[in-house]
Short mmCIF file of all heavy atoms in Angstrom, two decimals:
data_model
loop_
_atom_site.label_atom_id
_atom_site.label_comp_id
_atom_site.label_asym_id
_atom_site.label_seq_id
_atom_site.Cartn_x
_atom_site.Cartn_y
_atom_site.Cartn_z
N MET P 46 61.05 -37.01 -59.00
CA MET P 46 62.43 -36.61 -58.74
C MET P 46 62.85 -35.44 -59.64
O MET P 46 63.74 -34.68 -59.30
CB MET P 46 63.37 -37.80 -58.94
CG MET P 46 64.77 -37.57 -58.42
SD MET P 46 65.90 -38.90 -58.77
CE MET P 46 65.27 -40.20 -57.76
N THR P 47 62.20 -35.29 -60.80
CA THR P 47 62.54 -34.17 -61.68
C THR P 47 61.66 -32.96 -61.38
O THR P 47 60.52 -33.11 -60.93
CB THR P 47 62.38 -34.56 -63.16
OG1 THR P 47 61.06 -35.06 -63.37
CG2 THR P 47 63.40 -35.60 -63.57
N ASN P 48 62.17 -31.79 -61.69
CA ASN P 48 61.37 -30.59 -61.48
C ASN P 48 60.48 -30.35 -62.72
O ASN P 48 60.47 -31.16 -63.66
CB ASN P 48 62.27 -29.38 -61.16
CG ASN P 48 63.17 -28.99 -62.32
OD1 ASN P 48 62.94 -29.37 -63.47
ND2 ASN P 48 64.21 -28.24 -62.02
N GLU P 49 59.78 -29.24 -62.72
CA GLU P 49 58.81 -28.99 -63.81
C GLU P 49 59.49 -28.84 -65.17
O GLU P 49 58.84 -29.02 -66.21
CB GLU P 49 57.99 -27.73 -63.49
CG GLU P 49 58.83 -26.48 -63.34
CD GLU P 49 58.06 -25.33 -62.70
OE1 GLU P 49 56.97 -25.57 -62.15
OE2 GLU P 49 58.56 -24.20 -62.73
N ASP P 50 60.80 -28.56 -65.17
CA ASP P 50 61.53 -28.44 -66.43
C ASP P 50 62.22 -29.75 -66.82
O ASP P 50 62.91 -29.81 -67.85
CB ASP P 50 62.56 -27.32 -66.34
CG ASP P 50 61.90 -25.96 -66.13
OD1 ASP P 50 60.86 -25.72 -66.78
OD2 ASP P 50 62.40 -25.17 -65.32
N GLY P 51 62.08 -30.76 -65.99
CA GLY P 51 62.64 -32.07 -66.33
C GLY P 51 64.03 -32.35 -65.79
O GLY P 51 64.60 -33.40 -66.07
N TRP P 52 64.56 -31.41 -65.01
CA TRP P 52 65.89 -31.62 -64.42
C TRP P 52 65.78 -32.30 -63.07
O TRP P 52 64.78 -32.12 -62.36
CB TRP P 52 66.63 -30.28 -64.24
CG TRP P 52 66.73 -29.45 -65.47
CD1 TRP P 52 66.12 -28.26 -65.70
CD2 TRP P 52 67.50 -29.75 -66.65
NE1 TRP P 52 66.45 -27.80 -66.95
CE2 TRP P 52 67.29 -28.68 -67.55
CE3 TRP P 52 68.32 -30.79 -67.02
CZ2 TRP P 52 67.88 -28.64 -68.81
CZ3 TRP P 52 68.92 -30.76 -68.28
CH2 TRP P 52 68.70 -29.69 -69.15
N ILE P 53 66.82 -33.05 -62.69
CA ILE P 53 66.82 -33.70 -61.39
C ILE P 53 67.34 -32.72 -60.35
O ILE P 53 68.44 -32.16 -60.49
CB ILE P 53 67.70 -34.97 -61.41
CG1 ILE P 53 67.16 -35.98 -62.42
CG2 ILE P 53 67.79 -35.59 -60.01
CD1 ILE P 53 68.03 -37.21 -62.61
N GLU P 54 66.56 -32.52 -59.31
CA GLU P 54 66.94 -31.60 -58.23
C GLU P 54 67.88 -32.31 -57.26
O GLU P 54 67.60 -33.44 -56.84
CB GLU P 54 65.69 -31.13 -57.46
CG GLU P 54 64.71 -30.32 -58.27
CD GLU P 54 65.10 -28.86 -58.39
OE1 GLU P 54 66.15 -28.47 -57.81
OE2 GLU P 54 64.36 -28.11 -59.06
N THR P 55 68.97 -31.65 -56.93
CA THR P 55 69.88 -32.16 -55.91
C THR P 55 70.27 -31.01 -54.99
O THR P 55 70.09 -29.84 -55.33
CB THR P 55 71.19 -32.72 -56.52
OG1 THR P 55 71.98 -31.63 -57.02
CG2 THR P 55 70.93 -33.73 -57.62
N ASN P 56 70.86 -31.38 -53.86
CA ASN P 56 71.49 -30.35 -53.03
C ASN P 56 72.97 -30.24 -53.45
O ASN P 56 73.40 -30.88 -54.42
CB ASN P 56 71.33 -30.68 -51.54
CG ASN P 56 71.98 -32.00 -51.17
OD1 ASN P 56 72.82 -32.51 -51.91
ND2 ASN P 56 71.61 -32.54 -50.03
N GLY P 57 73.73 -29.46 -52.72
CA GLY P 57 75.13 -29.25 -53.06
C GLY P 57 76.00 -30.48 -52.90
O GLY P 57 77.13 -30.53 -53.39
N GLN P 58 75.46 -31.49 -52.20
CA GLN P 58 76.19 -32.75 -52.02
C GLN P 58 75.79 -33.75 -53.11
O GLN P 58 76.12 -34.92 -53.02
CB GLN P 58 75.89 -33.35 -50.64
CG GLN P 58 76.06 -32.37 -49.48
CD GLN P 58 77.43 -31.74 -49.44
OE1 GLN P 58 78.43 -32.43 -49.62
NE2 GLN P 58 77.48 -30.43 -49.25
N MET P 59 75.03 -33.31 -54.08
CA MET P 59 74.55 -34.15 -55.20
C MET P 59 73.53 -35.19 -54.78
O MET P 59 73.23 -36.13 -55.52
CB MET P 59 75.72 -34.84 -55.95
CG MET P 59 76.81 -33.90 -56.37
SD MET P 59 76.19 -32.57 -57.42
CE MET P 59 77.19 -31.20 -56.85
N GLU P 60 72.96 -35.00 -53.57
CA GLU P 60 71.94 -35.92 -53.10
C GLU P 60 70.59 -35.52 -53.69
O GLU P 60 70.23 -34.34 -53.72
CB GLU P 60 71.83 -35.87 -51.57
CG GLU P 60 73.07 -36.36 -50.85
CD GLU P 60 73.01 -36.04 -49.36
OE1 GLU P 60 72.68 -34.89 -48.99
OE2 GLU P 60 73.31 -36.95 -48.57
N THR P 61 69.83 -36.53 -54.15
CA THR P 61 68.45 -36.28 -54.54
C THR P 61 67.57 -36.44 -53.30
O THR P 61 68.08 -36.66 -52.20
CB THR P 61 67.99 -37.30 -55.62
OG1 THR P 61 67.97 -38.61 -55.02
CG2 THR P 61 68.94 -37.28 -56.82
N LYS P 62 66.28 -36.37 -53.51
CA LYS P 62 65.37 -36.56 -52.37
C LYS P 62 65.33 -38.01 -51.91
O LYS P 62 64.82 -38.31 -50.84
CB LYS P 62 63.95 -36.10 -52.75
CG LYS P 62 63.84 -34.60 -52.89
CD LYS P 62 62.45 -34.19 -53.37
CE LYS P 62 62.39 -32.69 -53.59
NZ LYS P 62 61.22 -32.28 -54.38
N VAL P 63 65.83 -38.90 -52.74
CA VAL P 63 65.83 -40.34 -52.41
C VAL P 63 67.16 -40.70 -51.76
O VAL P 63 68.22 -40.55 -52.39
CB VAL P 63 65.61 -41.19 -53.67
CG1 VAL P 63 65.56 -42.67 -53.31
CG2 VAL P 63 64.35 -40.76 -54.41
N PRO P 64 67.15 -41.15 -50.51
CA PRO P 64 68.40 -41.50 -49.84
C PRO P 64 69.21 -42.51 -50.65
O PRO P 64 68.66 -43.52 -51.12
CB PRO P 64 67.94 -42.10 -48.50
CG PRO P 64 66.59 -41.52 -48.28
CD PRO P 64 65.97 -41.36 -49.64
N GLY P 65 70.50 -42.22 -50.83
CA GLY P 65 71.37 -43.13 -51.54
C GLY P 65 71.35 -42.97 -53.05
O GLY P 65 72.08 -43.67 -53.76
N VAL P 66 70.52 -42.05 -53.54
CA VAL P 66 70.49 -41.79 -54.98
C VAL P 66 71.06 -40.39 -55.23
O VAL P 66 70.58 -39.40 -54.66
CB VAL P 66 69.06 -41.87 -55.56
CG1 VAL P 66 69.04 -41.49 -57.04
CG2 VAL P 66 68.49 -43.27 -55.38
N PHE P 67 72.10 -40.34 -56.05
CA PHE P 67 72.81 -39.10 -56.33
C PHE P 67 72.66 -38.78 -57.81
O PHE P 67 72.46 -39.68 -58.63
CB PHE P 67 74.29 -39.25 -55.97
CG PHE P 67 74.54 -39.52 -54.51
CD1 PHE P 67 74.30 -40.79 -53.97
CD2 PHE P 67 75.00 -38.54 -53.66
CE1 PHE P 67 74.50 -41.06 -52.62
CE2 PHE P 67 75.21 -38.79 -52.31
CZ PHE P 67 74.96 -40.05 -51.79
N ALA P 68 72.77 -37.52 -58.17
CA ALA P 68 72.72 -37.13 -59.59
C ALA P 68 73.81 -36.11 -59.86
O ALA P 68 74.10 -35.24 -59.02
CB ALA P 68 71.35 -36.55 -59.94
N ILE P 69 74.44 -36.25 -61.02
CA ILE P 69 75.53 -35.34 -61.39
C ILE P 69 75.44 -34.98 -62.86
O ILE P 69 74.78 -35.66 -63.64
CB ILE P 69 76.92 -35.98 -61.11
CG1 ILE P 69 77.11 -37.25 -61.95
CG2 ILE P 69 77.09 -36.29 -59.63
CD1 ILE P 69 78.54 -37.79 -61.90
N GLY P 70 76.12 -33.90 -63.21
CA GLY P 70 76.25 -33.54 -64.63
C GLY P 70 75.01 -32.89 -65.21
O GLY P 70 74.23 -32.24 -64.51
N ASP P 71 74.83 -33.08 -66.49
CA ASP P 71 73.80 -32.35 -67.23
C ASP P 71 72.38 -32.65 -66.80
O ASP P 71 71.48 -31.86 -67.09
CB ASP P 71 73.93 -32.65 -68.73
CG ASP P 71 75.02 -31.84 -69.40
OD1 ASP P 71 75.80 -31.17 -68.68
OD2 ASP P 71 75.10 -31.88 -70.65
N VAL P 72 72.16 -33.78 -66.13
CA VAL P 72 70.78 -34.11 -65.72
C VAL P 72 70.33 -33.28 -64.53
O VAL P 72 69.13 -33.21 -64.25
CB VAL P 72 70.62 -35.62 -65.39
CG1 VAL P 72 70.85 -36.47 -66.64
CG2 VAL P 72 71.53 -36.04 -64.26
N ARG P 73 71.30 -32.65 -63.83
CA ARG P 73 70.95 -31.86 -62.64
C ARG P 73 70.33 -30.52 -63.00
O ARG P 73 70.65 -29.94 -64.03
CB ARG P 73 72.22 -31.54 -61.82
CG ARG P 73 72.78 -32.67 -61.03
CD ARG P 73 73.96 -32.14 -60.22
NE ARG P 73 73.54 -31.10 -59.31
CZ ARG P 73 74.23 -29.99 -59.06
NH1 ARG P 73 75.39 -29.75 -59.65
NH2 ARG P 73 73.77 -29.10 -58.21
N ALA P 74 69.48 -30.03 -62.12
CA ALA P 74 69.00 -28.65 -62.21
C ALA P 74 70.14 -27.75 -61.75
O ALA P 74 70.54 -27.80 -60.59
CB ALA P 74 67.78 -28.47 -61.30
N LYS P 75 70.72 -26.99 -62.70
CA LYS P 75 71.83 -26.09 -62.34
C LYS P 75 71.98 -25.04 -63.43
O LYS P 75 71.38 -25.15 -64.50
CB LYS P 75 73.13 -26.88 -62.13
CG LYS P 75 73.62 -27.67 -63.34
CD LYS P 75 74.93 -28.37 -62.98
CE LYS P 75 75.49 -29.16 -64.14
NZ LYS P 75 76.77 -29.80 -63.80
N ASP P 76 72.82 -24.06 -63.15
CA ASP P 76 72.93 -22.91 -64.05
C ASP P 76 73.85 -23.17 -65.25
O ASP P 76 73.61 -22.67 -66.33
CB ASP P 76 73.45 -21.69 -63.29
CG ASP P 76 72.43 -21.17 -62.30
OD1 ASP P 76 71.23 -21.41 -62.52
OD2 ASP P 76 72.84 -20.57 -61.30
N LEU P 77 74.92 -23.93 -65.02
CA LEU P 77 75.94 -24.08 -66.07
C LEU P 77 76.20 -25.55 -66.36
O LEU P 77 76.58 -26.30 -65.45
CB LEU P 77 77.23 -23.40 -65.61
CG LEU P 77 78.37 -23.36 -66.62
CD1 LEU P 77 77.98 -22.57 -67.87
CD2 LEU P 77 79.61 -22.75 -65.99
N ARG P 78 75.98 -25.96 -67.59
CA ARG P 78 76.21 -27.36 -67.98
C ARG P 78 77.42 -27.43 -68.88
O ARG P 78 77.34 -27.21 -70.09
CB ARG P 78 74.97 -27.95 -68.66
CG ARG P 78 73.83 -28.11 -67.72
CD ARG P 78 72.62 -28.83 -68.27
NE ARG P 78 71.61 -28.90 -67.22
CZ ARG P 78 70.81 -27.89 -66.90
NH1 ARG P 78 70.82 -26.77 -67.60
NH2 ARG P 78 69.96 -28.01 -65.89
N GLN P 79 78.55 -27.72 -68.26
CA GLN P 79 79.80 -27.85 -69.00
C GLN P 79 80.58 -29.03 -68.45
O GLN P 79 80.26 -29.59 -67.41
CB GLN P 79 80.63 -26.57 -68.88
CG GLN P 79 80.06 -25.42 -69.69
CD GLN P 79 81.09 -24.34 -69.98
OE1 GLN P 79 81.93 -24.03 -69.13
NE2 GLN P 79 81.03 -23.77 -71.15
N ILE P 80 81.65 -29.39 -69.18
CA ILE P 80 82.47 -30.52 -68.76
C ILE P 80 83.04 -30.27 -67.36
O ILE P 80 83.03 -31.15 -66.49
CB ILE P 80 83.60 -30.77 -69.78
CG1 ILE P 80 82.98 -31.24 -71.10
CG2 ILE P 80 84.59 -31.80 -69.25
CD1 ILE P 80 83.94 -31.23 -72.27
N THR P 81 83.51 -29.05 -67.14
CA THR P 81 84.14 -28.75 -65.84
C THR P 81 83.14 -28.90 -64.69
O THR P 81 83.50 -29.42 -63.63
CB THR P 81 84.71 -27.33 -65.82
OG1 THR P 81 83.71 -26.44 -66.28
CG2 THR P 81 85.95 -27.21 -66.68
N THR P 82 81.90 -28.45 -64.89
CA THR P 82 80.93 -28.55 -63.80
C THR P 82 80.50 -30.02 -63.60
O THR P 82 80.28 -30.46 -62.48
CB THR P 82 79.70 -27.66 -64.04
OG1 THR P 82 79.07 -28.03 -65.27
CG2 THR P 82 80.09 -26.20 -64.08
N ALA P 83 80.43 -30.77 -64.70
CA ALA P 83 80.08 -32.20 -64.59
C ALA P 83 81.17 -32.95 -63.82
O ALA P 83 80.87 -33.79 -62.96
CB ALA P 83 79.89 -32.80 -65.98
N VAL P 84 82.42 -32.62 -64.11
CA VAL P 84 83.53 -33.28 -63.42
C VAL P 84 83.52 -32.90 -61.93
O VAL P 84 83.74 -33.75 -61.06
CB VAL P 84 84.88 -32.91 -64.08
CG1 VAL P 84 86.05 -33.38 -63.23
CG2 VAL P 84 84.96 -33.51 -65.48
N GLY P 85 83.25 -31.64 -61.66
CA GLY P 85 83.17 -31.20 -60.26
C GLY P 85 82.06 -31.93 -59.52
O GLY P 85 82.26 -32.38 -58.38
N ASP P 86 80.91 -32.04 -60.17
CA ASP P 86 79.79 -32.78 -59.56
C ASP P 86 80.23 -34.20 -59.22
O ASP P 86 79.90 -34.74 -58.15
CB ASP P 86 78.61 -32.89 -60.54
CG ASP P 86 77.90 -31.57 -60.77
OD1 ASP P 86 78.23 -30.57 -60.13
OD2 ASP P 86 76.99 -31.57 -61.63
N GLY P 87 80.96 -34.81 -60.14
CA GLY P 87 81.40 -36.19 -59.95
C GLY P 87 82.33 -36.33 -58.76
O GLY P 87 82.24 -37.30 -57.99
N GLY P 88 83.21 -35.35 -58.60
CA GLY P 88 84.13 -35.38 -57.46
C GLY P 88 83.38 -35.29 -56.14
O GLY P 88 83.66 -36.04 -55.19
N VAL P 89 82.42 -34.38 -56.08
CA VAL P 89 81.62 -34.23 -54.86
C VAL P 89 80.82 -35.50 -54.59
O VAL P 89 80.79 -36.02 -53.48
CB VAL P 89 80.66 -33.02 -54.98
CG1 VAL P 89 79.68 -32.98 -53.82
CG2 VAL P 89 81.45 -31.71 -55.06
N ALA P 90 80.17 -36.00 -55.64
CA ALA P 90 79.30 -37.18 -55.46
C ALA P 90 80.12 -38.40 -55.03
O ALA P 90 79.65 -39.18 -54.19
CB ALA P 90 78.55 -37.48 -56.75
N GLY P 91 81.31 -38.55 -55.59
CA GLY P 91 82.13 -39.70 -55.21
C GLY P 91 82.38 -39.74 -53.72
O GLY P 91 82.27 -40.79 -53.08
N GLN P 92 82.72 -38.58 -53.18
CA GLN P 92 82.99 -38.52 -51.74
C GLN P 92 81.71 -38.77 -50.93
O GLN P 92 81.73 -39.46 -49.91
CB GLN P 92 83.58 -37.17 -51.38
CG GLN P 92 84.08 -37.10 -49.95
CD GLN P 92 84.69 -35.76 -49.61
OE1 GLN P 92 84.20 -34.72 -50.05
NE2 GLN P 92 85.75 -35.77 -48.84
N GLN P 93 80.61 -38.20 -51.41
CA GLN P 93 79.35 -38.35 -50.67
C GLN P 93 78.84 -39.78 -50.73
O GLN P 93 78.27 -40.29 -49.76
CB GLN P 93 78.29 -37.38 -51.22
CG GLN P 93 78.63 -35.93 -51.00
CD GLN P 93 78.95 -35.62 -49.54
OE1 GLN P 93 78.24 -36.06 -48.63
NE2 GLN P 93 80.01 -34.86 -49.30
N VAL P 94 79.03 -40.45 -51.86
CA VAL P 94 78.63 -41.86 -51.96
C VAL P 94 79.44 -42.69 -50.97
O VAL P 94 78.91 -43.56 -50.27
CB VAL P 94 78.81 -42.37 -53.40
CG1 VAL P 94 78.68 -43.89 -53.46
CG2 VAL P 94 77.79 -41.72 -54.33
N PHE P 95 80.73 -42.41 -50.90
CA PHE P 95 81.60 -43.12 -49.95
C PHE P 95 81.08 -42.94 -48.53
O PHE P 95 80.94 -43.90 -47.77
CB PHE P 95 83.03 -42.61 -50.09
CG PHE P 95 84.00 -43.27 -49.15
CD1 PHE P 95 84.49 -44.54 -49.41
CD2 PHE P 95 84.42 -42.63 -47.99
CE1 PHE P 95 85.37 -45.17 -48.54
CE2 PHE P 95 85.30 -43.24 -47.12
CZ PHE P 95 85.78 -44.51 -47.40
N LYS P 96 80.77 -41.67 -48.18
CA LYS P 96 80.26 -41.40 -46.83
C LYS P 96 78.93 -42.10 -46.60
O LYS P 96 78.67 -42.61 -45.50
CB LYS P 96 80.07 -39.88 -46.63
CG LYS P 96 81.36 -39.12 -46.45
CD LYS P 96 81.04 -37.65 -46.20
CE LYS P 96 82.30 -36.83 -46.05
NZ LYS P 96 82.01 -35.39 -45.91
N TYR P 97 78.08 -42.11 -47.62
CA TYR P 97 76.78 -42.76 -47.47
C TYR P 97 76.95 -44.25 -47.19
O TYR P 97 76.31 -44.80 -46.30
CB TYR P 97 75.95 -42.54 -48.73
CG TYR P 97 74.61 -43.25 -48.68
CD1 TYR P 97 73.57 -42.75 -47.91
CD2 TYR P 97 74.41 -44.44 -49.38
CE1 TYR P 97 72.36 -43.41 -47.82
CE2 TYR P 97 73.20 -45.11 -49.30
CZ TYR P 97 72.17 -44.58 -48.53
OH TYR P 97 70.97 -45.25 -48.45
N ILE P 98 77.83 -44.90 -47.94
CA ILE P 98 78.05 -46.33 -47.74
C ILE P 98 78.66 -46.59 -46.36
O ILE P 98 78.27 -47.52 -45.66
CB ILE P 98 78.94 -46.90 -48.87
CG1 ILE P 98 78.17 -46.86 -50.19
CG2 ILE P 98 79.39 -48.32 -48.55
CD1 ILE P 98 79.01 -47.19 -51.41
N GLU P 99 79.56 -45.71 -45.96
CA GLU P 99 80.14 -45.85 -44.61
C GLU P 99 79.07 -45.73 -43.54
O GLU P 99 79.09 -46.44 -42.55
CB GLU P 99 81.21 -44.78 -44.38
CG GLU P 99 82.57 -45.18 -44.87
CD GLU P 99 83.66 -44.31 -44.24
OE1 GLU P 99 83.39 -43.12 -43.96
OE2 GLU P 99 84.76 -44.84 -44.03
N SER P 100 78.12 -44.81 -43.76
CA SER P 100 77.06 -44.61 -42.76
C SER P 100 76.19 -45.86 -42.67
O SER P 100 75.67 -46.19 -41.59
CB SER P 100 76.20 -43.39 -43.10
OG SER P 100 75.31 -43.66 -44.17
N LEU P 101 76.02 -46.58 -43.77
CA LEU P 101 75.28 -47.84 -43.73
C LEU P 101 76.03 -48.86 -42.89
O LEU P 101 75.44 -49.60 -42.11
CB LEU P 101 75.07 -48.39 -45.14
CG LEU P 101 74.22 -47.56 -46.10
CD1 LEU P 101 74.13 -48.24 -47.44
CD2 LEU P 101 72.83 -47.32 -45.52
N ASN P 102 77.34 -48.88 -43.06
CA ASN P 102 78.16 -49.80 -42.27
C ASN P 102 78.05 -49.49 -40.78
O ASN P 102 78.05 -50.39 -39.95
CB ASN P 102 79.61 -49.74 -42.72
CG ASN P 102 79.80 -50.41 -44.08
OD1 ASN P 102 79.01 -51.27 -44.44
ND2 ASN P 102 80.82 -50.01 -44.80
N ASP P 103 77.96 -48.18 -40.44
CA ASP P 103 77.84 -47.77 -39.04
C ASP P 103 76.60 -48.36 -38.40
O ASP P 103 76.56 -48.60 -37.20
CB ASP P 103 77.79 -46.25 -38.92
CG ASP P 103 79.14 -45.62 -39.24
OD1 ASP P 103 80.14 -46.36 -39.27
OD2 ASP P 103 79.17 -44.40 -39.47
N THR P 104 75.55 -48.56 -39.21
CA THR P 104 74.30 -49.08 -38.65
C THR P 104 74.24 -50.59 -38.70
O THR P 104 73.23 -51.20 -38.36
CB THR P 104 73.09 -48.52 -39.42
OG1 THR P 104 73.19 -48.92 -40.79
CG2 THR P 104 73.03 -47.00 -39.33
N GLY P 105 75.33 -51.21 -39.19
CA GLY P 105 75.36 -52.66 -39.27
C GLY P 105 74.77 -53.21 -40.55
O GLY P 105 74.76 -54.41 -40.77
N VAL P 106 74.29 -52.33 -41.45
CA VAL P 106 73.73 -52.79 -42.71
C VAL P 106 74.86 -53.05 -43.67
O VAL P 106 75.77 -52.23 -43.80
CB VAL P 106 72.77 -51.72 -43.32
CG1 VAL P 106 72.27 -52.17 -44.68
CG2 VAL P 106 71.62 -51.46 -42.37
N LYS P 107 74.84 -54.19 -44.33
CA LYS P 107 75.91 -54.52 -45.27
C LYS P 107 75.79 -53.68 -46.54
O LYS P 107 74.72 -53.58 -47.11
CB LYS P 107 75.88 -55.99 -45.63
CG LYS P 107 76.37 -56.87 -44.50
CD LYS P 107 77.05 -58.10 -45.06
CE LYS P 107 77.76 -58.82 -43.92
NZ LYS P 107 78.68 -59.80 -44.39
N ALA P 108 76.89 -53.04 -46.94
CA ALA P 108 76.88 -52.23 -48.17
C ALA P 108 77.44 -53.04 -49.33
O ALA P 108 78.20 -53.95 -49.14
CB ALA P 108 77.72 -50.99 -47.97
C1 LIG R 809 77.03 -29.58 -78.98
C2 LIG R 809 77.61 -29.43 -77.60
C3 LIG R 809 78.81 -28.76 -77.43
C4 LIG R 809 79.37 -28.64 -76.15
N1 LIG R 809 80.55 -27.97 -76.01
C5 LIG R 809 81.10 -27.89 -74.78
C6 LIG R 809 82.37 -27.25 -74.61
O1 LIG R 809 83.00 -26.76 -75.55
N2 LIG R 809 82.89 -27.19 -73.34
C7 LIG R 809 82.24 -27.74 -72.27
O2 LIG R 809 82.75 -27.68 -71.15
N3 LIG R 809 81.03 -28.32 -72.41
C8 LIG R 809 80.45 -28.42 -73.64
N4 LIG R 809 79.23 -29.03 -73.79
C9 LIG R 809 78.54 -29.55 -72.59
C10 LIG R 809 79.17 -30.87 -72.16
O3 LIG R 809 79.22 -31.76 -73.25
C11 LIG R 809 78.30 -31.47 -71.03
O4 LIG R 809 78.06 -30.50 -70.03
C12 LIG R 809 78.95 -32.68 -70.42
O5 LIG R 809 79.26 -33.64 -71.41
C13 LIG R 809 78.02 -33.29 -69.36
O6 LIG R 809 78.54 -34.53 -68.95
P1 LIG R 809 77.56 -35.64 -68.43
O7 LIG R 809 78.45 -36.77 -68.02
O8 LIG R 809 76.63 -35.06 -67.44
O9 LIG R 809 76.65 -36.06 -69.68
P2 LIG R 809 77.07 -36.73 -71.05
O10 LIG R 809 78.47 -36.36 -71.46
O11 LIG R 809 75.94 -36.39 -71.99
O12 LIG R 809 77.09 -38.27 -70.74
C14 LIG R 809 75.92 -38.99 -70.51
C15 LIG R 809 76.15 -40.41 -71.03
O13 LIG R 809 75.05 -41.23 -70.62
C16 LIG R 809 74.69 -42.04 -71.70
N5 LIG R 809 73.31 -42.44 -71.49
C17 LIG R 809 72.18 -41.73 -71.69
N6 LIG R 809 71.10 -42.45 -71.39
C18 LIG R 809 71.55 -43.64 -70.97
C19 LIG R 809 70.91 -44.82 -70.50
N7 LIG R 809 69.60 -44.91 -70.39
N8 LIG R 809 71.68 -45.87 -70.16
C20 LIG R 809 73.03 -45.79 -70.23
N9 LIG R 809 73.70 -44.70 -70.66
C21 LIG R 809 72.95 -43.64 -71.01
C22 LIG R 809 74.90 -41.18 -72.94
O14 LIG R 809 75.07 -41.99 -74.09
C23 LIG R 809 76.22 -40.48 -72.56
O15 LIG R 809 77.36 -41.24 -72.92
C24 LIG R 809 78.67 -29.18 -75.04
C25 LIG R 809 77.46 -29.85 -75.23
C26 LIG R 809 76.93 -29.97 -76.48
C27 LIG R 809 75.61 -30.70 -76.66
#
């Protein structure tokens, strides 16, 4: 899950390659590691986690 430099790769939705696993903040592979970017990551991830859990409900899987 980590790249050659040890950071966790995510897309812009904070999704890792593993479905349902998200990464935010300083552990992510990104250009700027500051409080503001970590908080922004958290906001994005929160919404995406919600959507992910809802998608599980759509398939009848209990979240
Ligand atoms: C010296 C220094 C000065 C900085 N100054 C600034 C600044 O002026 N302005 C700014 O915007 N940014 C600054 N930063 C960067 C900023 O602190 C980080 O970008 C920000 O804190 C990242 O937030 P985070 O939640 O990703 O990680 P963190 O704030 O590091 O939080 C990670 C948490 O996870 C905990 N943890 C680690 N391993 C485990 C584990 N196995 N189980 C459970 N918990 C675990 C840690 O104890 C920690 O509490 C500074 C960083 C440093 C090192």
Side-chain angles (χ1 to χ4, degrees):
M46 192 184 292
T47 54
N48 65 18
E49 60 193 13
D50 296 319
W52 306 112
I53 299 174
E54 296 278 359
T55 70
N56 61 18
Q58 310 305 316
M59 308 303 142
E60 295 169 313
T61 66
K62 289 176 183 164
V63 182
V66 176
F67 298 76
I69 62 170
D71 280 9
V72 296
R73 285 184 61 220
K75 60 179 181 178
D76 292 334
L77 185 61
R78 291 187 180 80
Q79 287 201 322
I80 293 167
T81 50
T82 59
V84 170
D86 289 355
V89 171
Q92 189 179 38
Q93 295 307 316
V94 168
F95 180 78
K96 286 182 182 176
Y97 176 76
I98 292 171
E99 273 198 328
S100 76
L101 296 180
N102 287 335
D103 290 345
T104 60
V106 176
K107 286 212 169 194

